[in-house]
Amino acid sequence: MTVPPPIVAPSILAADFARLAEEVRAVEDAADWLHVDVMDNHFVPNLTIGLPVVQSLRAATAMPFDVHLMITDPRRWAPGYADAGAYNVTFHAEAADDPVALAKDLRSAGAKAGLAIDRDTPIEPYLELLPSFDTLLIMTIKAGFGGQRFIPQMLDKVRAARRNVDAGHLELRIEVDGGIAADTIEQAAAAGADAFVAGTAVYGAADPAEAVRRLRALAERAAPGA
C-alpha cells in the first residue's frame, strides 16, 4: 500500500461566517487545502455558500480551495468554481448523469476533478471511473450537516478504494469527510485515506493552526508503512 503524505483541509462550514477571511487566515500557515462546502437546499437539506463567496475568498488568500459541491445540478455549476480559481472541485456521484464528462470539463477549466460518494452509496460501481478523477471523497457521515459523529463502517469503502488505487497505480487522493478529529483520523489514515476534512476539530479549537498540525501528525503516524 502506497499512501502519499497526508493533506489536512479545514472546513469553513465550522468557521464563523461573519469573519470568514479571518478564519481562513487563522489556518493559512498550517493547512494544505481549504475545504469549502457548497449546499443547495435540494441535494441536501442545508443551504450554505455559493460562487460569490468563493470568488470573494479567492481574493483574500492563496490557499488551494477544495470545493465540495452538495448540489443537484453539478454539470451546470461546477465549471464556474473551477473558473473562480478552485484547486479541486468535487461533485457527488449521486447527482451526476455522466461523471466522467464533468471531470473532463473541470480539468479543461483548470481544476482537479473530484468524485464524492455519500454514506448510503456503494462504492463498487464507481471504482472503474477513478482513472478519470484526481480525488475520491468518501463521506464518513451523511452529507449535508456538520458536527456529525464519524461512522467507522465507512472505512470499508476507503479500503476498497485504496486497493483499487494501488492496483491501478493511480494518481488519486482518497479524502474522507465527516467527524474527522484527533480520535478518528488515525483510523481513517490506517485504512488508506490521505486527505482529511476537519471542521469542528479545527475551528472549535482554541488554536486552529495547532489543531491542523496535530491532526496531520496523527495521520502521518497511522499511515500504512509509516
Side-chain angles (χ1 to χ4, degrees), residues 109-157:
K112 303 283 188 182
L115 185 70
I117 306 290
D118 205 359
R119 180 193 66 187
D120 300 328
T121 302
I123 195 171
E124 288 75 14
Y126 298 100
L127 292 175
E128 65 183 27
L129 306 185
L130 295 187
S132 298
F133 287 88
D134 305 289
T135 307
L136 174 67
L137 173 59
I138 295 172
M139 297 301 300
T140 43
I141 56 170
K142 176 66 177 170
F145 295 92
Q148 296 181 63
R149 289 178 64 84
F150 176 81
I151 304 171
Q153 293 84 349
M154 296 298 104
L155 295 181
D156 288 342
K157 295 182 186 180

Side-chain angles (χ1 to χ4, degrees), residues 8 20 53 102 118 139 200 214 216:
V8 178
L20 270 185
V53 175
L102 182 48
D118 205 359
M139 297 301 300
T200 307
R214 183 179 178 219
R216 187 185 294 106

Side-chain angles (χ1 to χ4, degrees), residues 13 24 43 50 52 54 59 77-78 104 118 132-133 142 146 158 174 180 192 197 208 216-217 223 225:
L13 185 63
V24 170
F43 181 72
V54 171
W77 297 107
K104 288 178 182 175
D118 205 359
S132 298
F133 287 88
K142 176 66 177 170
V158 174
I174 300 176
I180 298 299
V197 178
R216 187 185 294 106

